[in-house]
Amino acid sequence: MIDWNWCESYQVFSKLMTDARWSKGFYGYLAALTLGSEGKSEVECRELFKCLPGKIKKAVNIELDCYVSRKSEILSTVEDLRYHCFLYTLEMLYVWKCLNLTEDQARAVVDAVTDRPRDLSPGALATSHLILGLAWSRLAEFQRAIQAYKVVDTISMLPTKDTYVTVCALTELAQLYHSLNQKAECRETARKAQENFKNYDLQNRLYYRVKNLSNYT
């Protein structure tokens, strides 16, 4: 998955979905994302997303399983499925601190987001710009990265559950300002990420990233 080997990743996660004791729904979500990213079996991918909420009978990780259930319901009917699966695969890698883009991958992300489908939902649009900011940062295009992160913060009608994307973007933006020695901007952005959001998806998973922003305020 880290190397964007979608076929092999799908096979691994499919087996884990069947055999693992921990969060079959989560492994099923990763299986569906990697299958969709490959782009060869859209019908099968949608069916997998549809069945995932039913696999979460007794939540092992309530926060994560609720996230998986909500996203799966959306992705089972969304248009431009391959783009969305690619996008949320990268989001999962980022959340688990495994998104280590090579320069070629970063350029591929820039191309994909630049040519993204029209009429994305606010959540998908926000995630697109978060991933775009990470790609620009990897390519040392820091002003473009700053602009991408700022776009996330301006997206209106973002559901409360999806504001985890805004928190992530502001966290990355504060860290980037810190590395550029822009101290006032860093403090303001860090404070905003810490104080302005609550009750969002993956909040526990992102807790220490947000907590560490206190080093900047």
Side-chain angles (χ1 to χ4, degrees), residues 190-208:
R191 190 175 295 111
K192 186 173 187 179
Q194 288 182 305
E195 298 177 359
N196 289 17
F197 303 92
K198 60 182 180 179
N199 299 325
Y200 49 84
D201 272 353
L202 304 175
Q203 188 165 351
N204 291 335
R205 183 71 194 178
L206 299 171
Y207 173 78
Y208 286 105

Side-chain angles (χ1 to χ4, degrees), residues 45-59:
C45 180
R46 290 188 188 279
E47 288 301 316
L48 183 52
F49 277 126
K50 286 179 182 178
C51 79
L52 286 180
K55 290 185 178 295
I56 306 172
K57 296 178 181 179
K58 182 179 180 181

Side-chain angles (χ1 to χ4, degrees), residues 166-172 174 187-198 200 210 213:
T166 311
V167 172
C168 290
L170 292 173
T171 299
E172 294 297 328
R187 285 193 297 271
E188 179 183 355
T189 304
R191 190 175 295 111
K192 186 173 187 179
Q194 288 182 305
E195 298 177 359
N196 289 17
F197 303 92
K198 60 182 180 179
Y200 49 84
V210 176
L213 292 176

Side-chain angles (χ1 to χ4, degrees), residues 104-123:
D104 287 343
Q105 288 175 335
R107 293 189 183 95
V109 168
V110 170
D111 290 343
V113 175
T114 300
D115 295 332
R116 66 185 178 274
R118 296 181 178 181
D119 301 322
L120 292 178
S121 68

Side-chain angles (χ1 to χ4, degrees), residues 3-193:
D3 295 329
W4 297 13
N5 188 332
W6 309 131
C7 182
E8 183 177 339
S9 298
Y10 167 68
Q11 293 172 359
V12 171
F13 291 129
S14 293
K15 182 172 177 56
L16 286 170
M17 178 178 63
T18 302
D19 298 344
R21 295 182 179 180
W22 183 84
S23 193
K24 293 179 183 292
F26 177 62
Y27 288 128
Y29 180 67
L30 296 180
L33 287 180
T34 49
L35 179 63
S37 295
E38 189 179 15
K40 294 181 180 179
S41 306
E42 182 171 319
V43 173
E44 183 181 353
C45 180
R46 290 188 188 279
E47 288 301 316
L48 183 52
F49 277 126
K50 286 179 182 178
C51 79
L52 286 180
K55 290 185 178 295
I56 306 172
K57 296 178 181 179
K58 182 179 180 181
V60 176
N61 183 320
I62 294 175
E63 180 185 74
L64 180 59
D65 286 338
C66 287
Y67 166 86
V68 166
S69 182
R70 187 173 71 85
K71 287 292 188 183
S72 295
E73 289 179 0
I74 294 171
L75 290 169
S76 67
T77 59
V78 74
E79 295 184 7
D80 301 295
L81 181 62
R82 187 176 188 180
Y83 175 81
H84 283 81
C85 286
F86 175 67
L87 181 67
Y88 288 115
T89 298
L90 299 185
E91 179 186 82
M92 282 291 92
L93 288 171
Y94 169 76
V95 169
W96 259 257
K97 298 184 178 181
C98 296
L99 185 60
N100 300 311
L101 297 171
T102 66
E103 287 191 10
D104 287 343
Q105 288 175 335
R107 293 189 183 95
V109 168
V110 170
D111 290 343
V113 175
T114 300
D115 295 332
R116 66 185 178 274
R118 296 181 178 181
D119 301 322
L120 292 178
S121 68
L125 185 61
T127 301
S128 294
H129 281 90
L130 169 64
I131 301 300
L132 181 61
L134 296 168
W136 281 131
S137 186
R138 173 64 180 86
L139 296 171
E141 294 280 357
F142 298 128
Q143 292 306 312
R144 288 181 171 181
I146 289 171
Q147 185 58 39
Y149 295 140
K150 285 184 173 181
V151 168
V152 178
D153 191 33
T154 64
I155 293 174
S156 60
M157 300 179 67
L158 192 65
T160 299
K161 291 293 185 181
D162 280 334
T163 55
Y164 72 91
V165 186
T166 311
V167 172
C168 290
L170 292 173
T171 299
E172 294 297 328
L173 182 56
Q175 292 172 344
L176 183 52
Y177 279 141
H178 180 72
S179 68
L180 297 174
N181 202 32
Q182 295 179 228
K183 297 180 180 179
E185 292 88 345
C186 175
R187 285 193 297 271
E188 179 183 355
T189 304
R191 190 175 295 111
K192 186 173 187 179

Side-chain angles (χ1 to χ4, degrees), residues 187 190-191 194 208-217:
R187 285 193 297 271
R191 190 175 295 111
Q194 288 182 305
Y208 286 105
R209 297 192 198 188
V210 176
K211 186 174 184 295
N212 288 340
L213 292 176
S214 60
N215 296 329
Y216 303 148
T217 58

